[in-house]
Amino acid sequence: QLELVESGGGLVHPGGSLRLSCAASGSILDGFRVGWFRQGPGKEREGVACISPNGVTTIYSDSVEGRFTISRENAENTVALQMTDLKPEDTADYYCAAGWGVNPDFCTIVPDKGRYPYWGQGTQVSVSS
């Protein structure tokens, strides 16, 4: 059974950076598509970024394109989300999720539990001056 644990959240000033990590146990992550999702106060869960099983495909939401980078760190069995130029509207609980990737080139930022059956507990990111 794949288990995911997020870390790296915290409080940061606008314009600052954070690096979130999604650590997997119980299975090797490199056969899974992995997505990062977030849910802000009073908002619905939204997709932020995803990476395909082979790492070739990455997708970002319009709101984070150019500021966030998702990457695989297979040696550590983790997927990272590097966040730069953070804005107050990035404040949210951030979750990583994984799904077995039949298509090695595919991922999606739609928070579909059918495609992402494994979810972590989340890590909180607060951006405030």
Side-chain angles (χ1 to χ4, degrees):
Q1 179 77 1
L2 180 67
E3 294 188 356
L4 304 173
V5 178
E6 303 93 337
S7 63
L11 174 64
V12 64
H13 293 310
S17 299
L18 282 174
R19 184 177 179 86
L20 305 184
S21 182
C22 175
S25 61
S27 186
I28 304 298
L29 255 187
D30 63 359
F32 291 77
R33 71 180 74 92
V34 178
W36 281 97
F37 303 87
R38 68 186 182 186
Q39 188 163 13
K43 298 181 180 179
E44 292 188 356
R45 189 167 294 187
E46 64 173 343
V48 173
C50 70
I51 189 164
S52 62
N54 61 10
V56 170
T57 300
T58 56
I59 300 173
Y60 299 91
S61 67
D62 289 345
S63 61
V64 308
E65 178 84 54
R67 299 188 297 123
F68 291 11
T69 303
I70 189 171
S71 61
R72 288 189 171 273
E73 299 172 347
N74 289 338
E76 299 178 2
N77 208 27
T78 63
V79 171
L81 184 70
Q82 179 68 45
M83 307 187 296
T84 63
D85 191 22
L86 282 160
K87 306 176 186 299
E89 51 265 40
D90 294 318
T91 295
D93 292 325
Y94 283 71
Y95 302 87
C96 68
W100 180 252
V102 176
N103 181 345
D105 297 319
F106 174 81
C107 73
T108 176
I109 57 171
V110 176
D112 175 358
K113 291 192 176 181
R115 288 189 164 135
Y116 292 105
Y118 304 101
W119 289 76
Q121 294 300 306
T123 185
Q124 189 172 54
V125 172
S126 295
V127 185
S128 174
S129 55

